[in-house]
Amino acid sequence: MSKDVAADIRSVRKVPIVIIMILGAFLATLNQTIMSVVLPELMIDFSITASTAQWLTTGYMLVSGVLIPITGYLMQRFTTRELFQTSMIIFLAGTVISAIATGFPVLLTGRLIQAVGSGIIMPLLMNVILTLYPPEKRGAAMGMVGLAVIFAPAVGPTLAGYILEHYRWETMFYGMIPLVSLIIIGGFIYLKNVSARSSSRLDLLSVTISTIGFGTLLYGFSRAGSAGWLSTEVLISLGAGILSLGLFTWRQLVSKSPLLDLRAFQYKMFSLTTVINMAVTIVMYADMILLPLYLQNARGYTAMESGFLLLPGSLVMGILMPVTGKLFDKYGAKWLAIIGLLILIATTISFTNLTDSTGYLYMALMSTGRRIGLAMILMPIQTAGLNQLPAKLNAHGTAISNTVKQVAGAVGTSLLVTVMASSTKTHMQDMIAGGGTREQMMLEASIQGINDAYLVIVGISIIGLLLSLFIKQTGQPSQGTSEGLQQKMKVKAARN
């Protein structure tokens, strides 16, 4: 980045820019979480099956996951203002189409268009934070991002449940239209360009391979939980995804203008924190998948009661995000991550012994404890890795980080569902030999299956804890560090 651009950044008002973009990210994240509550009503309105309705969330995830790797190029090719406003306008168009949909195909089209806009916003916001703030002040800013991203899933299902009790499902989309419009207007007034634009060439072959690779991989993981890991559909999807991503990696390493610059993995802390972030993302999905299944299927609680149990923890987690961001600026990520993971492990262990009479208040307290641990880990870990990258790799680093989290989310979902299902089947077979009513045996087996899935979560948390012991505080290298690192590697290779 040139000195002129740096001077411009020092003179811009950072707070309005960050607030506008955080609000956009909040609405995009909120939109992603509200549909899970709406699916049963849509199945009745459109006379569709559960597997068909699920495409409203699966398709959204696939489009976002495919698009995120391309954002590294987009953030270099277009200005901050151009990219954010375009993404919000696309998001608005998808919202309008969803609101007026009279059939499932139109609603699905609207959701997929929304996903295009949503997939750009979060990597762009993180890149702007890295550009506006020096490494020693990024923690607090990233904490505010975490507040928006965590608060939206916390209120999304509860808000959707309330709306559905009093209004039709279209109201959620109609209500979002004026909010998105206000953000677009605010963007025209307050948003400034904070990054330099480069004329890099778009590698169409990389785009094609990336789309196939991430698309089939995410689809395979999303289907594995219901279809089974050994189903032909899943095996073909995962095989095509792995092969395509292998070709994609090779292409990025030999290309002069890589779509996703994998040289970011030359920086040890970025690589380490990326792996830890994958583990933590999988762990985070435990409460989002396992606990609602236990509460609603095994205990008979309503969706609203299930949402209210998770709400306190999510709110506390959102409030703590800015606090842990400031602590990161002062003390670094290592001890925050270690303490957070110890809290996470201790509270998750309490969910490995669920019964048909476990107290509601006890589960709410333990779930809140898990979210406190997550608040100490998520943004500090991600910021610590991004802080080590030189400025020119910021766009690619944020794209890589968000892509990995998207894949980890899909892996976590399918892993937990598979462990739960297979364990339930095993426990059921053991109980049949012992005798009893089928209904009671099925209930007990399903609870034991959820307990076993939580046990896997404990194991993954322990792996994250062990990796966190190797975190070191690093400063941001100069622009030429990447080239210097490559030169040193070439010299070393020549000597060998």
Side-chain angles (χ1 to χ4, degrees), residues 39-322:
L39 294 184
E41 184 169 326
L42 293 174
M43 289 167 60
I44 297 172
D45 278 10
F46 296 136
S47 300
I48 55 176
T49 63
S51 59
T52 301
Q54 190 63 38
W55 272 100
L56 292 170
T57 54
T58 303
Y60 195 100
M61 180 191 73
L62 288 174
V63 172
S64 296
V66 165
L67 192 64
I68 288 173
I70 306 173
T71 57
Y73 164 80
L74 294 176
M75 287 186 286
Q76 292 184 319
R77 181 65 181 83
F78 301 99
T79 66
T80 308
R81 186 185 176 96
E82 290 172 343
L83 198 53
F84 181 78
Q85 293 295 78
T86 300
S87 65
M88 290 305 299
I89 290 171
I90 292 172
F91 184 78
L92 177 61
T95 304
V96 172
I97 293 172
S98 299
I100 63 176
T102 55
F104 179 77
V106 178
L107 178 59
L108 179 59
T109 300
R111 287 284 292 171
L112 298 182
I113 293 173
Q114 278 186 319
V116 173
S118 176
I120 298 172
I121 293 172
M122 185 54 64
L124 177 62
L125 171 57
M126 292 175 63
N127 187 54
V128 167
I129 295 295
L130 296 179
T131 304
L132 285 177
Y133 294 91
E136 65 274 9
K137 294 183 178 180
R138 287 176 185 165
M142 291 288 276
M144 293 302 297
V145 174
L147 169 61
V149 173
I150 296 302
F151 187 68
V155 301
T158 306
L159 177 62
Y162 173 81
I163 291 174
L164 287 176
E165 284 188 7
H166 300 87
Y167 310 99
R168 283 186 54 79
W169 59 266
E170 295 96 328
T171 306
M172 293 186 298
F173 294 108
Y174 278 117
M176 198 170 290
I177 290 173
L179 298 177
V180 178
S181 301
L182 286 174
I183 291 174
I184 293 172
I185 294 170
F188 279 116
I189 298 172
Y190 296 107
L191 203 59
K192 306 294 181 184
N193 295 321
V194 298
S195 58
R197 180 164 57 179
S198 63
S199 57
S200 56
R201 182 179 62 86
L202 178 62
D203 187 349
L204 293 177
L205 179 58
S206 291
V207 172
T208 303
I209 300 174
S210 168
T211 301
I212 295 172
F214 286 106
T216 53
L217 191 71
L218 289 170
Y219 178 78
F221 280 125
S222 67
R223 290 289 297 151
S226 56
W229 287 93
L230 298 179
S231 71
T232 303
E233 178 187 15
V234 171
L235 290 175
I236 292 176
S237 297
L238 293 180
I242 293 170
L243 177 61
S244 298
L245 290 181
L247 292 173
F248 177 76
T249 301
W250 169 80
R251 178 68 180 177
Q252 303 320 292
L253 294 175
V254 300
S255 175
K256 294 181 179 179
S257 301
L259 180 68
L260 206 59
D261 198 336
L262 300 182
R263 288 177 296 177
F265 285 112
Q266 293 177 342
Y267 298 89
K268 294 180 180 179
M269 283 304 103
F270 177 79
S271 299
L272 176 64
T273 55
T274 298
V275 175
I276 297 173
N277 238 325
M278 289 183 67
V280 173
T281 301
I282 294 174
V283 169
M284 184 172 64
Y285 272 73
D287 275 353
M288 298 170 65
I289 297 170
L290 297 177
L291 197 51
L293 285 174
Y294 166 76
L295 290 169
Q296 293 171 233
N297 295 352
R299 299 295 301 278
Y301 289 106
T302 65
M304 183 68 73
E305 289 170 328
S306 177
F308 272 119
L309 187 143
L310 297 172
L311 184 61
S314 298
L315 293 177
V316 170
M317 185 178 176
I319 293 170
L320 284 178
M321 281 293 198

